[in-house]
Amino acid sequence: MTTTTTARDSYAGTLALAALAPIAWGSTYAVTTEFLPPDRPLFTGLMRALPAGLALLAVTRVLPRGVWLGRAAALGVLNIGAFFPLLFLAAYRLPGGVAGVLGAVAPMFALAFATVVLAEKPNGRKVIAGLIGVFGVALVVLRANAQLDTVGVIAGLAGAASMALGTVLTQRWGRPEGVGPLAITGWQLTAGGLFIAPLASLIEGAPPALDGRAVGGYLYLGVIGTALAYFLWFRGIAKVPATSVAFLGLLSPVSAAVIGWIALGQALSPLQVVGLGIALGGTLLGQVAAKPRIEPAVVTPRVSVDVH
């Protein structure tokens, strides 16, 4: 009984810490609109990822070697490098919160990828939880004048799929022996930032001039909204089922709506409040549908890898 209770407490604690990541990501909209230069999404993605990644590399002093060179690059592109540009592209081309609804489909993608990559049997309760979550987010962010744009829809779905596949592969590959989640986070942020850098230069040109507010905004996004948030996210994936962590992503639009209400004075209609409750219900159901278990945080690869 004591062992079971301890495992459940550890499971719940891990999920609670991982949930802080999408809650922090929900503040990105408010910080971007209030502190950062307008119309520079790729530069913002670059500033979120690369400085934080390089700082973590300097702190951990561990670089990927062997098979992990490719894995770190792949995960960095899926979770950061491709996800950020696709997310911003969808947000710019899809008014009325449609991008937020498409992003909420990520848990459904994660369930599909887990079936193939992790050989997990489909869970009917999780599928229902995913649909409930999408419906709740739709009530929160959709507006009557929302319009669809083909490129925006494709970008939104591709971004959700990219993050979902990255989440599942992060659990599938684990991490090399002797390497902690902080180092893994640094690898991915650096790889993702290096992927975004040439895109930002080609598409947006030279970096904009930054004032004190912008510097503060980028510091917040880099330290809290990226380095710390992704550390907690990857730590959670290493310990509990990836599909359970993926459902926590539904908290991001919920957090954005609450922050907009508190910090920016944006009113919430009764229907939006109902949507918040439904989205939270879908998130919780996605956790109840999973079997509480804690996986070992370290996965030793079959190929000997020198990571120092």
Side-chain angles (χ1 to χ4, degrees):
M1 178 69 70
T2 302
T3 302
T4 302
T5 301
T6 302
R8 288 177 177 174
D9 290 343
S10 181
Y11 181 90
T14 299
L15 283 175
L17 286 175
L20 295 177
I23 291 174
W25 294 334
S27 66
T28 301
Y29 174 79
V31 173
T32 300
T33 57
E34 298 299 312
F35 293 91
L36 304 184
D39 302 324
R40 302 305 293 263
L42 290 176
F43 180 76
T44 296
L46 174 63
M47 292 297 290
R48 284 186 65 183
L50 190 56
L54 293 175
L56 292 182
L57 290 184
V59 170
T60 59
R61 301 177 66 182
V62 178
L63 296 176
R65 292 289 186 88
V67 68
W68 274 97
L69 281 171
R71 290 180 177 180
L75 293 177
V77 170
L78 289 171
N79 288 320
I80 311 293
F83 174 66
F84 281 0
L86 289 170
L87 175 69
F88 284 120
L89 177 60
Y92 272 90
R93 298 186 67 104
L94 294 173
V98 178
V101 177
L102 295 175
V105 180
M108 306 297 289
F109 281 120
L111 290 174
F113 290 135
T115 302
V116 177
V117 177
L118 304 177
E120 291 186 2
K121 294 182 179 179
N123 187 312
R125 187 177 297 180
K126 280 196 172 185
V127 172
I128 294 174
L131 295 175
I132 290 174
V134 172
F135 178 67
V137 170
L139 292 181
V140 175
V141 301
L142 282 184
R143 301 291 182 270
N145 61 347
Q147 298 177 357
L148 296 181
D149 173 88
T150 302
V151 174
V153 170
I154 292 174
L157 291 175
S162 179
M163 185 68 170
L165 180 57
T167 297
V168 171
L169 285 177
T170 298
Q171 183 170 92
R172 172 67 179 85
W173 288 335
R175 62 178 187 261
E177 183 178 5
V179 176
L182 202 62
I184 290 287
T185 304
W187 295 356
Q188 295 192 43
L189 290 176
T190 301
L194 291 175
F195 181 85
I196 296 174
L199 296 177
S201 178
L202 289 173
I203 296 175
E204 296 180 352
L210 302 180
D211 57 16
R213 288 175 60 84
V215 171
Y218 283 126
L219 282 174
Y220 168 81
L221 288 181
V223 176
I224 304 298
T226 303
L228 179 59
Y230 273 97
F231 164 73
L232 295 174
W233 186 257
F234 295 142
R235 176 183 178 275
I237 296 171
K239 292 177 175 291
V240 301
T243 51
S244 295
V245 178
F247 270 91
L248 298 177
L250 295 171
L251 296 176
S252 183
V254 171
S255 170
V258 173
I259 291 173
W261 171 54
I262 295 175
L264 304 180
Q266 298 173 348
L268 288 176
S269 68
L271 188 61
Q272 287 179 297
V273 175
V274 171
L276 291 175
I278 293 175
L280 289 174
T283 303
L284 293 175
L285 183 59
Q287 312 312 320
V288 173
K291 180 181 178 181
R293 62 184 177 87
I294 299 292
E295 295 291 346
V298 176
V299 176
T300 304
R302 304 181 72 176
V303 178
S304 178
V305 180
D306 179 13
V307 297
H308 299 287

